[in-house]
Structures are given as structure tokens and as C-alpha cells.
Amino acid sequence: MPNSSNYNTPGHDPGIAGSGDPDVTTARNGEGSPLLSGYRSPSGASDYMRPDSSQGSLRERPNRSTSSGRRRRQQQQQQQPAHAHVPRFSRRWWQRRIRYYVPIIGWLPKCSAGSLANDVKAGFMVACLLIPQALSYSSLTHLPPAYGLYTALVPALVYGMLGTSRHLSMGPEALVSVLTGTLVKGQLKHLYAAYSPNTPPDEAVDDFSAAVASAVALASGLCTFALGMFRFGFLDSMISESSLRGFISGAAIVVLIGQTRIVLGLPSSNSVHSSPWNDLCHMLSHLGQIHAATAAVSLGALAFLRLLRFVKRQFRSALWLQGIPDTLVVIILATLVSWAAKLGREYGVAVFGSVDGDLPRFSVPRVPAYVDSKDIVSSAITITMIGVVESVIVAREYASRNHYAVSSNRELVALGVSNIIGSAFGSYPAFGSLSRSKLNDRAKATSQLSGIVAAILVLVSLLGLLPYLYHLPLGVLAAIIVDAVVSLLSATPHAISFLFKVQAWSDLFLLLFICACSVVASVETGILLAVVISLIMVIKRSNMPRIKLLGRSTENGYEFRPIDGIAPSSGASRRQSFSSDDSEFDQLQDEPEDGSEEYDAQVQHVEGVLIVRVDESLYFANAGQLHARLNRLELYGDMRVHPSEDPRMKPTRAVVFDLIGMPDIDGSALEILLNIVREYSRRQVRVAFVRVCDSVRGRFEKSGMADAGGEYDFNDITAALNHLERELTISVTP
């Protein structure tokens, strides 16, 4: 059992391994304080002290009655501090763990009447947006509308019981729906090839598409669950903001291309696996075939939706206006207009039609025939990356706004279990939605109950709403998607202008390049490039060891400061060359940008000695470049000097490594360092290590660093230089 003092440490995340208990609280203002009510020692014994009594008086007297002793023990148990030691696998231990990993057990009994009313209201408002989005996004996945409601139902219920975010709205999401639809569309070619030269019936196409979507939901759920179990909650920060924005913009443009065709009533492409660029060319070449009635009702619905949003922004103080579910109002009005004007029968507008609204049935997902499992797994990894990044970012944002904590690892577990269970009930991959979470926060939701209420309303609509949507024009659903996509693109111009303003040309190029690849090639290509390029950037920057070349201060001969730590700028850094019969060295005067005085004094190279400070732990990734950087310092004395310049340093006769900033070193890095020391020894260059911590010193002793030629028994740089001065015929005194 870990020490209970870790339970309330800021930023402490017990994670999946259960290294702490978040339900343990700290006494405040003397209430329940151990100094007043008692302190339980690690051994489990309680020593209760009063201000007016000695510790000896607390011992139980032999003449006390059994009943009084029992009452005293009961009082002591009630007064035990919250951080008291709990035996592992005891009943109380299990209760805490179950409350931790199944949060609904903890927050549901604490719901008050006021919070319950807020959550029901928030759940209703979220459902008014969730249901239209579920119906609309199902078209992105090439699935019947009922499967969109299945995705909004089962995963949302499961997440409501396991999730730690009070505001994250679980269900279908635009980008994930696009990725799922891309996979389904790509696999349909195998079904069409199997039925060739005939065309497969619509029922077979729907069943095949649903099987593919459920299989990828299961695979995505397993991936997300594994990431949470192995504590990879930090992965959301591994994709750069520019890469992510480029992919989101590209995917939004792809969705915009596909839905604009439906809004205008244009015919679809005959190819089942055309690229977004081909779809755009096909749409532009068929603009003469726009269906006037479909375009009128769809564009009218889109204009009304944008107008209603504009009015809401202008009258923020009108609470009754802010509570109007604009998307639901548009669907109701469009359905009534279509029914009254008979748009489907007399004007040829494509309508929603009859949809089976049965409850989802349990079925273990299987990879259908003609489908390669590798395609399912690769798409699941892509979907997991996008879904996890967006969900965790949204959960953290609203947790920070409302002053509560979420665990990234537990969030991943909740998301994974939700998709695993949902896949058995016809769901395609579901993750958190920014737009619905924003609405949930605006509606003052106080717990995960709002998501459960929204899922219950989805169930009601599944059983009784679908028949009333028979006359709903499909172009209106496409217009709703276009409105959501425009919101995704709204942040892109600001991101581009900001990168241009700060002259971050590499980030700007990355954003535009990934966006263009997503549109021209495919969405999978865009996300693959975003992930790969981000990982390459992380590896490149962590591959370079953080080392500083030190020189002696001319003001204090016993003080050593970095030489190459500040980039030269006008008036901030100047270099002077000094030559004499005895020595030749470079002299620098640096003024750092932050106004500190660390580099105010002049520093100079110690002739014949390379003094290097290591500012981080060495491991296999960053130690590989250590030898090359040392060689460059040995030749030029400054990492800022271009390699094309002539060497300006005298031959090195000794190297001093200051390891004050290196708390650890792994086996691979130690082997690299040993090889560097051996090479210096073959060149008759002495090597000394100063300020070595105990853990690194132990590894040096076991690896035979002294036998290789490295000495590491020096407490400071001056002591090492004095030793080298005695051993070598060089002068290192100031």
C-alpha cells in the first residue's frame, strides 16, 4: 500500500495501477485534524491526544467496563483521520477502489435535488443536439440512420458510469464518422466485386457496412483500453498543434465536399473508392445538374440555422432565446414544410423515408468476409488517435474551467470500454464531442448524469421519433453537417495568421501541407502524416543531448559559466579575440534576454581543457549524438559556429564533465559514454567527472569507468582542474 501522504499531492494520478486514492480528503480548519482527534500511525495504532491530558492517561484502565471500552473504540474509529492506513484487500480498500474505477458509485448517492434538476435540463439540451447529429453523421459513415442513434445510446450510457469528466458528451463525432465512412466505403469495393457483374442488394450493403463499422469500433475500443491500462494518457500531447490543425482543416474540407453535393442535389460518383479530389472534380463538372428544390430547401435550412446562431450571439442576455435548440428547430420546421408542400412526392426531393427503429441487438462483432483484418486494425489506430486527442483535450479543458480533476488514463479506459460494449450493439466508434460538451457546460451540468439523461432521450427517440421524420429532406441533414464543419474551419484562419505573424514558417508549412494531403489524397494520408511528422519532430528534439560548454569567469576564477548558451544578437553578444605569447582564447560577453545576470560576466575557455556540463539524464535516444557534439565543441569551442569554418581551438588535453544536472543514465548511454572515454584515453586525453550523483556513481563503479580512464571523485570543477594541472603540463589556474 503506498504512503497515504501521496493521496492529495497536486497532479498525483493513481492511474490504472492504483497507486493512490483520490477519495481521501485532508482535514481543514481543525475539523477532523489529527492534532485534535487523533493520529493513526503507519502500524495502524491510534494515539489520541487531548490538550489537557498526557499520553499516559490515554491507556485503558483495567477497571473500565467492556461496554465503555467498546464505545470508546467506536468513537475512535469514527474520529480516524481520512488518510488512515487501510489494509490491502480489506472491505474498505475494495470499496475505495470500486468507487475510484466506477465513478457512478461515488457521485450518484451525492446528487442533490438542485444538481439533479440541472443535470436533467442539461441532458435534455444535449439530446436536442445529439439526436440530429446522430442522424446526420450516420450518412458520413454510409450506415442507416438508426446506427447513428445506436452510437449515441450505448457508449454514452457506459461512459456515464465509468467516465471522470462531468461535461464530456460521448457519442458520434464528425471526424471519427468521416474516418469510419472512409473505411466502410473502401471495403464496399470487395462486396461489389463479389457480386460482380450484378449489384448487391441494399440489405446486403447495409449489413456489410454495419459489420465493418462494428468491427472497427471493437478494435478502436481495445486500442483505447490498452492505452489507458498501460498509462499512455500523455499521448494526446504527442501531436503538434500545427499538424492537428492541418488534419482537422483537411478533414473538414473533405466533409464539406461530400455534403455540398447532397445539399445541391447533385448525382454521386459511380466509384466507391474515389479520392476527395476526384469527388470535388466530379461535383464541379456536374454543377449544371443542380436540383433546384433540394438546393432551395437545404440552403434555406442552412441560412436559417446560421441566422438563429447570429441572433443568439446578439442577444446573449435573453436566457429563453439561448435555450432554444436551434438544430432541433430546423429539423422540425423542415419536416413540416416538406410534409405540407409534398416536396418528396411532387418535387423529387430526397427525404428520410421509413427507417427501422428497433432496439439494438447484442451480437459479437466479427470481421466480415472479403475484408482484410489489417485494414480494420490500421483504421482503428487512426480513429483512436483522433478520438483520444479530441476527447482528452475537451475533458481537460472543461475540468479546468469547473475546478475538478480528470485522469487521462481513466478517461482512456472509460472510452475504450464504451466502444467495446457499444460495438456489440451496432455502434460505430464513439468519442467526445466539443460542440456538445460546450453545450453541456453552458447548461450547468454538475455530473455525468446529464450524459445518461441524454442517452435515455436518444432511446425514446429511437423507439418513437423515427416514423415522424419520414418527410425530412436529406439535404437538411447535410446542411446541419455543413454548419458543424464550418465551425471546425473557423479556427484555421486565426492559426494561419498567428503562425505567419510569429514567422513560424515550419509550422505554417506543416499545417498547409497536411491539409492539402488530406484533400488531394485521403483523410488517412493526412492523419498518418500528422502523426509521423509529429513523432519525428519529438524524436529529433529529444535526440540532441542538452550539454553546455563552460568557461571560467574573469571576475571570479572559481566560477564557471556557459559559453554557447545565448544566441548572438545586436548589442547583446560580442566576441573578441585575444592573442599573446602565453595563451590564445576567445572572450565573450553575453546579456541574456530575460534580464538575468548569469551571462553578464566575461567567460573564457580554459586552454587545452574542454569543460562540459550535462543538463539532463542520458539514455539511449539522446546519448547517440553526444560524441558528435563533443567533437564539434572540441574543434570550434561553440555550437553556434558553422562546421564550414576553420577549427579555432587548440588541441584538447583534458575533458571535464560536470554531471550536476544528470540524475540518471541507462545502460545504452553508459556504454556510449564508456566508448567515448576509451577513445579519449587512446588519444591520451584525460577525462574527469565532477559532481556525480550516487546512482550514477554506482553505475560508473560497476561498469569499470575508472579502468576505462574516467576519474569521478571530484566535488567541483576547480578540484578537477587542480588535479589535471598536477598531472599534465598545462596551466589551468586563473
Side-chain angles (χ1 to χ4, degrees):
M1 185 75 180
N3 193 318
S4 60
S5 63
N6 291 333
Y7 291 156
N8 286 311
T9 302
H12 174 64
D13 180 12
I16 301 307
S19 60
D21 193 340
D23 297 326
V24 180
T25 58
T26 305
R28 299 182 184 272
N29 300 326
E31 184 178 357
S33 171
L35 294 177
L36 298 178
S37 61
Y39 170 74
R40 177 167 290 274
S41 65
S43 61
S46 297
D47 297 328
Y48 285 84
M49 303 179 63
R50 302 176 188 171
D52 58 346
S53 64
S54 63
Q55 186 157 351
S57 65
L58 296 176
R59 296 180 181 177
E60 185 177 348
R61 297 178 180 177
N63 59 355
R64 293 277 179 94
S65 64
T66 305
S67 60
S68 63
R70 184 181 300 110
R71 284 196 301 271
R72 185 173 63 257
R73 286 193 297 271
Q74 291 175 352
Q75 292 175 357
Q76 291 177 353
Q77 290 176 358
Q78 294 175 356
Q79 294 174 347
Q80 286 179 0
H83 59 272
H85 173 76
V86 179
R88 183 180 287 270
F89 303 125
S90 64
R91 181 179 179 181
R92 190 177 178 190
W93 187 90
W94 280 112
Q95 288 176 346
R96 288 182 174 180
R97 292 305 182 272
I98 293 174
R99 264 200 322 268
Y100 181 75
Y101 294 117
V102 187
I104 190 174
I105 298 177
W107 59 259
L108 187 59
K110 300 177 183 178
C111 286
S112 62
S115 63
L116 180 63
N118 285 338
D119 288 334
V120 171
K121 182 189 72 171
F124 176 78
M125 294 182 65
V126 171
C128 291
L129 178 61
L130 175 59
I131 294 171
Q133 283 187 345
L135 296 173
S136 303
Y137 292 164
S138 61
S139 64
L140 298 176
T141 61
H142 306 282
L143 294 173
Y147 288 91
L149 295 176
Y150 296 161
T151 306
L153 172 61
V154 180
L157 285 174
V158 178
Y159 180 82
M161 294 183 286
L162 301 179
T164 60
S165 174
R166 304 170 191 170
H167 298 89
L168 185 68
S169 177
M170 185 74 169
E173 199 274 330
L175 294 179
V176 173
S177 299
V178 172
L179 294 171
T180 304
T182 303
L183 171 66
V184 171
K185 185 178 179 181
Q187 298 304 315
L188 280 174
K189 62 184 179 182
H190 301 300
L191 181 67
Y192 279 88
Y195 276 86
S196 182
N198 300 319
T199 302
D202 293 340
E203 183 178 355
V205 173
D206 291 343
D207 292 343
F208 180 86
S209 301
V212 172
S214 297
V216 75
L218 175 61
S220 177
L222 292 174
C223 291
T224 310
F225 179 79
L227 290 176
M229 289 297 295
F230 290 104
R231 303 171 66 88
F232 279 90
F234 62 89
L235 284 181
D236 63 288
S237 60
M238 296 297 291
I239 301 180
S240 70
E241 182 67 24
S242 300
S243 300
L244 187 61
R245 176 53 54 190
F247 166 74
I248 291 176
S249 303
I253 293 174
V254 171
V255 174
L256 195 61
I257 293 172
Q259 298 306 305
T260 302
R261 180 191 62 80
I262 300 176
V263 167
L264 299 178
L266 296 173
S268 61
S269 175
N270 294 327
S271 176
V272 296
H273 54 277
S274 59
S275 66
W277 179 256
N278 292 334
D279 291 340
L280 176 61
C281 295
H282 177 270
M283 183 180 67
L284 294 177
S285 62
H286 290 77
L287 287 179
Q289 302 179 22
I290 292 178
H291 193 274
T294 300
V297 68
S298 302
L299 294 176
L302 179 60
F304 181 80
L305 191 59
R306 303 301 293 182
L307 177 62
L308 190 56
R309 300 270 175 84
F310 175 78
V311 173
K312 281 187 174 183
R313 287 194 298 269
Q314 296 300 316
F315 300 94
R316 296 183 184 275
S317 59
L319 298 181
W320 65 271
L321 182 61
Q322 302 300 322
I324 294 178
D326 40 20
T327 307
L328 186 62
V329 168
V330 168
I331 286 183
I332 294 174
L333 291 179
T335 303
L336 292 176
V337 169
S338 176
W339 169 74
K342 300 179 182 179
L343 296 179
R345 191 186 319 172
E346 297 187 2
Y347 295 92
V349 175
V351 295
F352 194 76
S354 299
V355 177
D356 185 9
D358 293 338
L359 290 175
R361 299 178 181 178
F362 177 82
S363 177
V364 178
R366 291 185 175 86
V367 178
Y370 320 119
V371 175
D372 192 349
S373 300
K374 292 187 293 185
D375 296 337
I376 299 291
V377 173
S378 61
S379 296
I381 294 174
T382 303
I383 290 171
T384 299
M385 291 292 296
I386 293 300
V388 163
V389 168
E390 184 171 2
S391 300
V392 173
I393 288 177
V394 171
R396 285 179 177 173
E397 178 181 353
Y398 286 101
S400 176
R401 288 185 182 182
N402 294 276
H403 311 292
Y404 65 91
V406 295
S407 166
S408 298
N409 296 316
R410 290 166 63 197
E411 280 295 292
L412 294 181
V413 171
L415 294 171
V417 174
S418 301
N419 278 297
I420 291 172
I421 297 178
S423 67
F425 291 93
S427 166
Y428 63 84
F431 287 94
S433 167
L434 176 60
S435 59
R436 297 196 302 269
S437 300
K438 184 186 299 183
L439 179 61
N440 205 17
D441 176 62
R442 193 182 305 161
K444 307 299 182 184
T446 60
S447 71
Q448 295 88 324
L449 183 62
S450 61
I452 296 177
V453 171
I456 293 174
L457 293 176
V458 171
L459 176 63
V460 173
S461 67
L462 183 64
L463 295 176
L465 176 65
L466 294 182
Y468 296 99
L469 298 178
Y470 180 92
H471 296 282
L472 174 64
L474 294 180
V476 174
L477 293 178
I480 294 173
I481 298 176
V482 169
D483 177 71
V485 165
V486 171
S487 300
L488 288 176
L489 287 171
S490 60
T492 303
H494 176 266
I496 293 176
S497 63
F498 175 78
L499 295 177
F500 187 84
K501 178 181 178 181
V502 301
Q503 297 183 357
W505 307 122
S506 59
D507 290 333
L508 181 60
F509 172 77
L510 190 61
L511 188 155
L512 298 176
F513 176 70
I514 292 177
C515 178
C517 289
S518 300
V519 174
V520 175
S522 65
V523 176
E524 293 96 331
T525 303
I527 184 58
L528 180 63
L529 286 173
V531 173
V532 170
I533 294 176
S534 296
L535 291 179
I536 290 176
M537 293 170 62
V538 171
I539 294 172
K540 178 184 177 182
R541 293 178 181 178
S542 63
N543 183 255
M544 291 295 180
R546 292 172 54 194
I547 62 175
K548 295 284 187 182
L549 181 66
L550 303 183
R552 190 193 302 274
S553 171
T554 58
E555 296 181 354
N556 183 355
Y558 298 97
E559 186 175 358
F560 298 85
R561 296 181 177 182
I563 291 178
D564 63 339
I566 298 296
S569 60
S570 177
S573 177
R574 61 179 180 267
R575 174 180 296 273
Q576 298 175 345
S577 298
F578 294 81
S579 299
S580 66
D581 297 336
D582 298 330
S583 63
E584 180 180 7
F585 55 86
D586 291 333
Q587 196 168 21
L588 291 155
Q589 181 173 346
D590 295 305
E591 298 177 5
E593 296 176 358
D594 59 1
S596 66
E597 298 180 356
E598 182 179 358
Y599 301 100
D600 286 347
Q602 295 177 338
V603 293
Q604 66 182 43
H605 289 292
V606 178
E607 183 184 0
V609 181
L610 200 65
I611 306 174
V612 178
R613 188 180 72 196
V614 182
D615 290 335
E616 65 178 347
S617 297
L618 291 180
Y619 64 108
F620 67 95
N622 62 2
Q625 296 293 324
L626 181 60
H627 191 204
R629 302 201 77 185
L630 289 174
N631 286 339
R632 189 167 175 179
L633 289 176
E634 193 175 347
L635 292 174
Y636 305 104
D638 194 334
M639 291 300 299
R640 295 169 299 181
V641 179
H642 195 272
S644 63
E645 299 289 336
D646 294 330
R648 58 186 63 183
M649 296 289 290
K650 285 192 173 184
T652 300
R653 301 189 60 186
V655 179
V656 177
F657 289 97
D658 182 8
L659 304 187
I660 184 64
M662 192 182 84
D664 192 20
I665 184 172
D666 71 357
S668 300
L670 182 57
E671 186 174 1
I672 292 173
L673 190 58
L674 279 170
N675 291 332
I676 292 174
V677 173
R678 293 191 185 102
E679 182 178 342
Y680 279 135
S681 298
R682 286 194 295 269
R683 294 168 46 195
Q684 298 183 351
V685 175
R686 301 296 298 270
V687 179
F689 297 92
V690 303
R691 297 194 285 188
V692 183
C693 67
D694 293 339
S695 60
V696 176
R697 183 185 300 274
R699 295 205 169 187
F700 278 3
E701 292 174 354
K702 294 177 182 178
S703 64
M705 178 64 74
D707 297 335
E711 302 175 79
Y712 47 86
D713 292 327
F714 305 103
N715 294 326
D716 53 51
I717 299 176
T718 302
L721 291 179
N722 292 335
H723 172 75
L724 293 172
E725 186 177 15
R726 291 191 298 268
E727 295 289 330
L728 303 172
T729 58
I730 60 174
S731 175
V732 295
T733 56

